[in-house]
Amino acid sequence: MTEKKKILIRIGSLRHGGAEKVLVTFLKNLPEDKYEIDLLLNLYSGKYLSEVPKWINVIYINKGEMITTNRLQDIPEKAARVIFQKVLKEFPDLLYTLILKDKKYDIEFAAIHGMRDEILHSTNHSSKKIVWIHNDLSQVKEYTDEEIRKFFGFDSIMVISKKIEKIFHDLARNETEKQKIVKIYNPLDTKEILTKAEQPVINYQFDDKIPTFISVGTVFPQKGFDRLLRVHKKLLDEGFLHKILIVGDGYDFENIKNLKTELGVDDTATMLGFTDNPYPYFKNADYYILSSRYEGFPTVLFEAITLRKKIIATEVSGVNEMLNNGELGLIVENSEEGIYLGMKSAFTEPEFFSRFNVKLENYTMPFNLDHSVSRIVTVLDEL
């Protein structure tokens, strides 16, 4: 019997983000008999913890719920966690000795780009290194070309869209570096989405007479929920009655909630917080709206397409690819004005959206779960 490959996977936590969801879906579909996996979390926290297969060994640096506020009573614990993580990052010998017990790995895998330095500075020099890039880093201020080039220190760079693939290809200096770049669409489970969408809606009332625009995602500035709420207010002022439903949580939650109150739209805009099953809300809403400032490959659109939603999306990385260059949904300029014009067209030109419905009814998704998992497995096996 072949000895199992020993793999260390690193991610911050298993909170409710797209990359976390994708990682857990991947782990659930991995063959148990081929690998011995340690999953190292900076924080043992998150809604997806319970979904990690039992055969995977979960290790952590800190434990407890994520602290997203700056309340006085939370500051000591928050500071202690940050300091401990920084010490282990600065002195990786301590991490590998104290927490990982000097275990030797065949592969070390950064499941998000933010784990780049932790994996590249591993004391396990003989291991092969992989990174999974979920974001268009060219849109992130601190990621200069020089910073992005550091990812070529990995043996394999997995990217999730053509746009991200192009960014890395353009920065590659030779054929060897180009061969490190592998485009693999995110593994997502269509059957799970359709099954979960049949469950009842909780804590929200849809109104057949008032259209609802839903947006789902971690509440970060990246997602543009502030832009969405300002457009919502403007359209209401112009007499277009509708509702906004934001599903998700994150460190910007209180800011967006306060903005909602400041704009005076508490009666028409709802922030539901996190739910481990957003699909019944998707199913009952009239439109899916992606208001993001930047993305890597917005897998949430995969979910909206699976549930045959009318889609309005800002032109960020992955959107043209996901929406077949505008065949499956309306792609708008990446600005507040773009979002405004897109949403307004839902009221002034509803027939325009019916052509998307026809396309969606007969559309077969190219993003296949088994295919994505087998591609990632091939990367692991060939290193």
Side-chain angles (χ1 to χ4, degrees):
M1 186 178 165
T2 318
E3 193 177 338
K4 292 180 180 181
K5 266 195 173 174
K6 294 179 176 62
I7 301 175
L8 175 70
I9 300 176
R10 293 203 62 176
I11 195 165
S13 71
L14 289 179
R15 61 170 178 76
H16 33 279
E20 291 80 359
K21 165 86 173 163
V22 163
L23 174 63
V24 170
T25 302
F26 164 62
L27 294 175
K28 288 197 289 191
N29 288 276
L30 260 187
E32 182 180 346
D33 58 340
K34 286 183 72 170
Y35 309 109
E36 181 184 314
I37 294 179
D38 287 347
L39 175 61
L40 175 59
L41 308 175
N42 281 356
L43 182 63
Y44 186 83
S45 168
K47 306 291 182 180
Y48 295 127
L49 273 174
S50 60
E51 294 187 39
V52 175
K54 295 286 180 276
W55 62 273
I56 287 168
N57 181 33
V58 180
I59 309 166
Y60 55 87
I61 291 172
N62 288 300
K63 194 170 186 177
E65 282 312 302
M66 191 170 287
I67 301 169
T68 56
T69 64
N70 284 317
R71 294 181 308 180
L72 278 174
Q73 64 264 40
D74 295 334
I75 288 171
E77 187 180 350
K78 195 174 182 179
R81 287 180 185 177
V82 170
I83 291 164
F84 189 38
Q85 278 173 214
K86 279 188 174 172
V87 167
L88 294 179
K89 185 175 178 177
E90 195 67 31
F91 303 100
D93 284 2
L94 289 175
L95 172 76
Y96 281 80
T97 304
L98 297 176
I99 292 175
L100 298 175
K101 313 295 183 194
D102 289 322
K103 186 170 176 178
K104 296 295 176 198
Y105 296 98
D106 301 299
I107 293 172
E108 294 185 79
F109 188 161
I112 51 172
H113 69 265
M115 286 290 162
R116 180 193 68 191
D117 296 345
E118 283 83 344
I119 294 292
L120 288 182
H121 298 156
S122 159
T123 58
N124 217 330
H125 301 299
S126 61
S127 68
K128 297 294 185 180
K129 313 288 195 292
I130 304 176
V131 63
W132 205 346
I133 310 280
H134 295 270
N135 280 90
D136 175 358
L137 298 179
S138 68
Q139 299 298 309
V140 184
K141 193 168 59 178
E142 59 266 33
Y143 280 93
T144 58
D145 286 356
E146 187 183 349
E147 276 299 305
I148 295 173
R149 272 209 44 81
K150 290 179 183 176
F151 287 96
F152 286 103
F154 285 88
D155 298 286
S156 183
I157 303 165
M158 298 196 320
V159 299
I160 63 169
S161 74
K162 287 178 185 170
K163 169 87 186 286
I164 303 173
E165 182 182 39
K166 184 177 186 310
I167 289 164
F168 278 89
H169 265 280
D170 290 348
L171 289 173
R173 289 179 181 162
N174 52 49
E175 202 54 42
T176 304
E177 288 189 346
K178 282 182 181 173
Q179 285 173 1
K180 292 182 176 189
I181 306 157
V182 189
K183 178 173 69 67
I184 304 173
Y185 289 126
N186 275 337
L188 288 161
D189 195 335
T190 309
K191 285 180 190 164
E192 180 187 52
I193 292 166
L194 292 169
T195 304
K196 285 186 168 181
E198 295 307 314
Q199 292 178 15
V201 167
I202 302 164
N203 297 333
Y204 189 75
Q205 194 67 48
F206 285 94
D207 188 332
D208 292 340
K209 297 181 185 68
I210 304 172
T212 299
F213 293 78
I214 188 172
S215 199
V216 180
T218 311
V219 186
F220 291 165
Q222 167 193 344
K223 299 297 180 182
F225 293 134
D226 56 326
R227 306 198 289 188
L228 178 58
L229 287 177
R230 284 192 289 269
V231 167
H232 171 53
K233 167 69 171 166
K234 188 174 179 181
L235 288 168
L236 287 176
D237 288 348
E238 291 177 10
F240 298 109
L241 186 58
H242 64 291
K243 289 185 173 183
I244 296 287
L245 175 59
I246 295 171
V247 180
D249 199 358
Y251 68 73
D252 215 27
F253 189 90
E254 289 304 316
N255 290 335
I256 299 297
K257 194 175 171 187
N258 291 339
L259 176 63
K260 184 167 69 80
T261 304
E262 282 166 28
L263 292 169
V265 294
D266 282 335
D267 290 341
T268 49
T270 302
M271 294 186 70
L272 196 70
F274 176 78
T275 170
D276 54 8
N277 182 15
Y279 305 121
Y281 302 92
F282 265 97
K283 188 183 173 190
N284 285 279
D286 300 281
Y287 293 87
Y288 187 83
I289 175 91
L290 183 88
S291 55
S292 296
R293 289 181 165 88
Y294 64 91
E295 288 282 349
F297 198 63
T299 47
V300 69
L301 291 186
F302 170 97
E303 296 163 338
I305 292 166
T306 300
L307 294 168
R308 308 294 190 242
K309 289 290 102 183
K310 295 169 185 168
I311 296 167
I312 301 166
T314 50
E315 191 171 6
V316 290
S317 171
V319 164
N320 277 299
E321 211 170 329
M322 190 73 92
L323 296 180
N324 267 10
N325 297 312
E327 277 190 12
L328 304 175
L330 178 62
I331 302 171
V332 300
E333 182 185 275
N334 184 4
S335 65
E336 206 164 297
E337 178 70 5
I339 297 165
Y340 164 74
L341 292 173
M343 287 179 68
K344 188 173 181 177
S345 69
F347 301 103
T348 58
E349 305 171 76
E351 67 287 345
F352 177 72
F353 285 86
S354 59
R355 70 189 178 97
F356 298 130
N357 289 16
V358 174
K359 288 278 185 188
L360 286 167
E361 283 306 318
N362 306 304
Y363 184 65
T364 305
M365 199 76 69
F367 316 112
N368 177 287
L369 175 66
D370 294 337
H371 179 65
S372 294
V373 172
S374 68
R375 289 285 311 280
I376 300 168
V377 165
T378 301
V379 170
L380 296 176
D381 292 349
E382 288 181 352
L383 280 177

